[in-house]
């Protein structure tokens, strides 16, 4: 699933699979969004459709994802690749959590951090040998964020500790600004 992509749990982490894809881009003042519709991928007993919007603010590392799935809704996930030799990172607040990796995983063969941000009362994390995935309690509505921080970027995070501290700041901010009032869900997923 690369760096924050949406997929399907089919007894293992998988991509959506064949579908009809359409996309539209909206560049607004200080923010860009891409809406991607993937229609007809293999769902649970029939075809399903994913309608996902990816949004990023100017100057931000963080991409927010809001998606709905209709049709024969399968077990939906989002994930990150887990390269050999990277360190795992994680943290949580009252409602938000992050899970990711830090280490030599950039094309320049230097340090890069990749991370998923999610509501831990709405999803469960699973760490595999080759991936990290979040499994959504409600597979019809996905809300999460992802980011990557390269050590060579301007103001880059140069250590795992700095990357984790930054990710903790992000979920603390999400905690302050996320005013979702829905009651917590209980996940009981078999992965």
């Amino acid at each position: 699933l690369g760096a924050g992509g949406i997929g399907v749990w089919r007894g293992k982490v998988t991509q959506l699979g064949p579908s009809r894809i359409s996309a539209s881009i909206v560049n607004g003042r200080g923010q860009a969004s891409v809406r991607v519709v993937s229609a007809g991928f293999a769902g649970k007993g029939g075809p399903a459709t994913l309608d996902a919007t990816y949004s990023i603010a100017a100057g931000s590392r963080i991409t927010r994802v809001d998606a709905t799935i209709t049709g024969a809704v399968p077990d939906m996930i989002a994930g990150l690749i887990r390269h050999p030799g990277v360190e795992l990172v994680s943290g949580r607040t009252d409602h938000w959590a992050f899970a990711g990796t830090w280490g030599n995983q950039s094309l320049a063969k230097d340090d890069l951090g990749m991370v998923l941000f999610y509501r831990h009362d709405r999803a469960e994390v699973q760490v595999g040998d080759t991936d990290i995935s979040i499994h959504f309690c409600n597979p019809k509505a996905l809300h999460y964020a992802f980011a990557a921080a390269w050590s060579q970027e301007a103001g880059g995070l140069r250590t795992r500790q700095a990357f984790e501290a930054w990710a903790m700041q992000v979920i603390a901010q999400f905690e302050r600004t996320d005013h979702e009032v829905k009651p917590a869900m209980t996940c009981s997923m078999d992965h």
Side-chain angles (χ1 to χ4, degrees), residues 4-184:
I6 297 173
V8 176
W9 179 257
R10 297 181 175 106
K12 64 180 183 176
V13 172
T14 65
Q15 295 177 337
L16 294 179
S19 60
R20 292 177 312 284
I21 299 172
S22 62
S24 59
I25 300 169
V26 177
N27 288 318
R29 187 175 205 103
Q31 180 170 310
S33 296
V34 177
R35 180 178 177 209
V36 179
V37 177
S38 299
F41 68 92
K44 195 173 269 184
T49 297
L50 168 71
D51 187 339
T53 300
Y54 302 84
S55 303
I56 189 166
S60 177
R61 296 180 180 111
I62 303 163
T63 299
R64 300 280 309 232
V65 182
D66 293 296
T68 56
I69 296 80
T70 56
V73 179
D75 294 330
M76 300 300 295
I77 59 174
L80 298 172
I81 189 169
R82 182 178 173 196
H83 294 282
V86 296
E87 297 177 71
L88 298 175
V89 297
S90 63
R92 67 189 293 158
T93 58
D94 288 343
H95 297 97
W96 282 88
F98 69 86
T101 58
W102 172 265
N104 184 332
Q105 56 187 341
S106 80
L107 292 176
K109 305 275 190 248
D110 58 2
D111 289 333
L112 173 76
M114 294 191 297
V115 64
L116 295 164
F117 302 102
Y118 61 97
R119 290 270 311 237
H120 60 76
D121 58 348
R122 305 266 187 269
E124 295 179 339
V125 68
Q126 180 175 343
V127 178
D129 292 336
T130 60
D131 52 66
I132 296 173
S133 55
I134 51 176
H135 299 244
F136 296 96
C137 298
N138 177 3
K140 294 179 181 183
L142 315 182
H143 306 285
Y144 70 100
F146 63 89
W150 184 33
S151 61
Q152 288 191 49
E153 70 185 65
L157 304 169
R158 307 228 188 299
T159 66
R160 179 188 56 80
Q161 293 81 3
F163 179 62
E164 279 186 311
W166 170 79
M168 281 301 299
Q169 291 172 350
V170 170
I171 62 173
Q173 177 66 28
F174 287 173
E175 192 76 34
R176 287 190 299 275
T177 60
D178 181 15
H179 301 292
E180 187 173 338
V181 295
K182 294 178 186 172

